[in-house]
Amino acid sequence: MTKIKELIGTVCFILITCIALAQTGKIKGKVTQRDHEDVQAATVSIPKLKKSVKSTISGAYELTDIPYGTWELEVRFVGFHTLKKMITLNSDSLEQHIELSEKSNTDLDEVVVSGTMKEVSKLESSVPVEVYTSKFFKANPTPSLFDALQNINGVRPQLNCNVCSTGDIHINGLEGPYTMILIDGMPIVSGLSTVYGLSGIPQSLIDRVEIVKGPASTLYGSEAVGGLINIITKRPENAPLLSLDAFGTTWGEISADVAAKFNVGKKAQSLLGINYFNYQHPIDNNNDNFTDITLQHRISIFNKWNFERKDNRIFSLAGRYVYEDRWGGEMNWGKKYRGGDEVYGESIYTSRWEFFGTYQLPIKEKILFQFSTNGHNQNSVYGNIPYLADQYIGFGQFTWFKTLGRHDLLTGLTYRYTNYDDNTPATASAGNIALNKPTQTHLPGLFLQDEITLNGNNKLLLGVRYDYNSIHGSILTPRLNYKWNSVDKNNVLRLSIGNGYRVANVFTEDHAALTGAREVVFMHALKPETSWNGNINFVKKIDAGTTFIGLDATAFYTYFTNKIIPNYDKDPNKIIYDNINGHAVSSGVSLNIDVVFANGLKILAGATAMDVYNTEEGKRSGQMFTEKFTAVWNIGYTFKGIGLTADYTGNLYGPMRLPLLSATDPRREYSPWWSIQNIQLTKHLGKKIEIYGGVKNLLNWTPNKGNPFIIARTNDPFDKKVQFGTDGQAMVTADNPYGLTFDPSYVYGPNQGIRGFLGFRYHLFK
């Protein structure tokens, strides 16, 4: 009898369970962030049931046909911590509101790809990677990514010419040619574009920017000696249907970013972005008869496609076209004077196209084929000196990801082809300088990486790369990384040592070689530069009640051999290029502090102290255009009651050595301490519109302060009245009391004073 009762009870339980499972309901609610602002396009899912929806404009979501029971609810949104929560549904409807917390820039859970070429959290990455989301750059809106990087610790946009305002990116004091710029992991920005192509990347399409400081040549090859900057664009499925960001300044600058998403069929999504910048108002506040900043007219079009494939295999394509017309010079310059010696102007026409993509092979193993190709046409004149150049680069790479026990393996096979041609001695025939001979470089390579998980707290990464340069021969670049994290994962220590190399092309990298103000001299055939780098990085996360504190400290040391340093001092009429007969060193320490308070106050600050010098024939000298100290800050506060956010951003730079033309040159040999500071207010109007405005360069700082002049001999830019001695030096005369020649290379900071700005943003989601 007892057994019969047990059987009946079991049957009843099964029947009740089946009835319960047959019943379904819905889960609904809103997704917000800490200040109760609605979060649009967040992914709300129950992974076990493979059900998911996107939150609406108002942050609302609704999951339907959910069986009664207990399930894990997961909410994801870019820039915020993933929330996982157990919920129980036992009625027709369950209301569940979700509040997401924003990630900080030192967050250990942030996803990165640049350090090891695969998506991992910052915690799991054996290589230290800094991540800056698109929201970070909105605190100080700029017309280009080049300008936006000024508020990142250890990274400095360096202007290389007072007249045409071209520049490059310095990392830890190393010049622009040592920094590799990637778009979605592809080496797009290189060669000519390190000087001319950094502008025109639509910021509305940027998801985040990842920065690796120190050599990354083992994975990325030449140019990644000082570090790399990887610009990750948005995935179409995560982007709004339409977004617009436009602003203008009191100087007459107009900048606009427009992006739109659309579907083609059920398996293709596309993201289209247009960037436009226009400045056509010559200003001469320092009264030297030269434009203070360069006039520019630029348009850039970017298009990215993602295709859905079986088993979620990757297939994406993207392309970009940039055209820019910029000029600077004497205030009365016009296009009729282009290339002549009557009125001085520097006029640059840039036309550039790029195409790149990623395709995962339809096989069981994870093998990716990545490719990129770009063409760059440069039509420039510097006074009466023309610089005409064409560059074409093709790149292909196979990568194979394989996990074997504790070994996470990555193997890559690469090939890069570069065709470069210009009208300078760089591409002239050795036997006949009048005969043009374009440079063609073939660079096949092979790399292998093994990331070994020793245990839950320790990882070891071993890597090696072999390249064969068709001009310079074999190049080997190894690296070793070690990572330790505490049990609570709030402390991470990383040690790394690695080798880097760079094959130099002076005429695509050093604008001073093109200005026409000095003669370019090569003492010998340039050899590839090599470097060894050591890094110690420590990251600590502190949860102090309702306050989050993140610390990120790094000590670095890089030792160069065969370094190429332009010599401005030996002859004021020449720039002499040669591999140094000695060594060069870049060393220092940096610290980032990230503090987030519960009341909405956020502080991100950083400082770097460094010593960059070269030693040749026993003589040590500091590197030009390199500061010993730099600091940045980004302080934001949201007034929740009125929906207003205030952002105060700025940077501070220590003195740097500058090129003087003679012993009687009255300009400062070292720059002073200088700072650019900005303030911005942003007001949210509903869910779709933001109005923002503020003041840039609050201190009204410009480099001419404390100097009698910045550009030498602006009254005689073609040196028609300069008298030269038998030694080739400019002579001191009544018309030339300092014995100078025309030279715009004395530049270390932007020459644009205080200005106001006003703009608006519009975002339309489903």
Side-chain angles (χ1 to χ4, degrees), residues 409-431:
L409 301 171
L410 169 63
T411 303
L413 185 64
T414 71
Y415 173 76
R416 182 171 175 172
Y417 168 78
T418 303
N419 183 298
Y420 173 75
D421 188 18
D422 66 22
N423 64 323
T424 74
T427 56
S429 174

Side-chain angles (χ1 to χ4, degrees), residues 713-724:
R713 297 285 294 174
T714 56
N715 63 320
D716 183 24
F718 296 99
D719 291 338
K720 294 180 179 180
K721 298 179 181 180
V722 176
Q723 298 181 31
F724 295 95

